[in-house]
Amino acid sequence: MAANQSEAGRVISEVAQAEGGTTKGSQSAQMQSELSKQRNFEETAAKVGSKLENAPGSITKEDAQAIHRVEARVSGGQQPQSGSMSSQAQHQAAVNQGATSTGNTTASVDSTTQSQLDRQANYEDVASKVGEKLASAPESISKEDADTMHSREHRAFGQTEKGGLAAQAQHQVAENQKPS
């Protein structure tokens, strides 16, 4: 992995030199951003993956949220697939909090935890729809889609992620509104 990262760094450096330096929006800046996203994902995946394998009872909702954020970022805002590490971590966190994957969580989860689980489920629902639109028909993204995505992401995670799905949807709306 270190060899691949140093090779990537060398290529980014060459591209930056060819561009006359790294500037915002340049190819080298975009390459550096993608490399950073990948590194963040790998670090978080190693931490959460180790916990899933060695101490699944220690997985928290914060672990699940962390891996979900970096997994979504590295995949270009696409929702992580069923069976991915983030979905496994979310399931394990819910189990650890006394919830079940069937959705019948109210009996064994306090109201604060249930509220957070509901906010995350609302986010997942909207993110799935908006992610699909971004992938298949970006011109169909509306301001309402972007606003809803922003709201759900902020409610579920307490912030919106730079470059995350809400940001991508808002950017696409701006692109869609530009005169042709």
Side-chain angles (χ1 to χ4, degrees):
M1 182 170 77
N4 290 342
Q5 289 182 358
S6 63
E7 175 67 15
R10 185 188 60 74
V11 170
I12 292 169
S13 179
E14 289 174 3
V15 170
Q17 287 177 347
E19 293 175 331
T22 302
T23 58
K24 185 174 182 175
S26 67
Q27 183 179 5
S28 58
Q30 291 172 7
M31 292 168 70
Q32 181 62 46
S33 175
E34 291 302 315
L35 181 61
S36 293
K37 289 176 191 176
Q38 185 64 37
R39 286 178 180 162
N40 289 340
F41 171 73
E42 290 170 0
E43 289 170 7
T44 305
K47 176 185 159 209
V48 174
S50 176
K51 286 175 90 173
L52 276 169
E53 187 172 319
N54 301 316
S58 68
I59 295 289
T60 64
K61 68 180 180 181
E62 289 78 15
D63 292 325
Q65 290 170 341
I67 191 66
H68 182 271
R69 276 194 300 271
V70 297
E71 197 170 338
R73 285 192 80 191
V74 81
S75 68
Q78 296 294 318
Q79 277 304 103
Q81 298 294 315
S82 179
S84 67
M85 185 179 294
S86 66
S87 68
Q88 292 174 25
Q90 287 174 339
H91 172 76
Q92 188 62 52
V95 168
N96 293 345
Q97 293 175 351
T100 65
S101 62
T102 62
N104 185 11
T105 59
T106 56
S108 58
V109 177
D110 65 57
S111 62
T112 303
T113 302
Q114 183 61 45
S115 180
Q116 178 61 33
L117 292 171
D118 290 343
R119 287 191 298 270
Q120 287 176 342
N122 289 339
Y123 167 80
E124 296 289 336
D125 183 48
V126 172
S128 174
K129 292 172 187 166
V130 171
E132 180 63 33
K133 277 186 171 182
L134 279 170
S136 62
E139 68 282 353
S140 70
I141 296 287
S142 68
K143 182 169 179 2
E144 182 179 280
D145 291 331
D147 290 346
T148 301
M149 186 72 249
H150 183 272
S151 171
R152 296 303 188 273
E153 188 172 328
H154 192 271
R155 284 176 150 182
F157 305 113
Q159 65 184 17
T160 55
E161 192 75 27
K162 183 176 180 178
L165 200 51
Q168 291 178 36
Q170 290 173 333
H171 174 75
Q172 188 61 51
V173 167
E175 291 294 314
N176 291 348
Q177 292 176 345
K178 285 184 180 177
S180 309

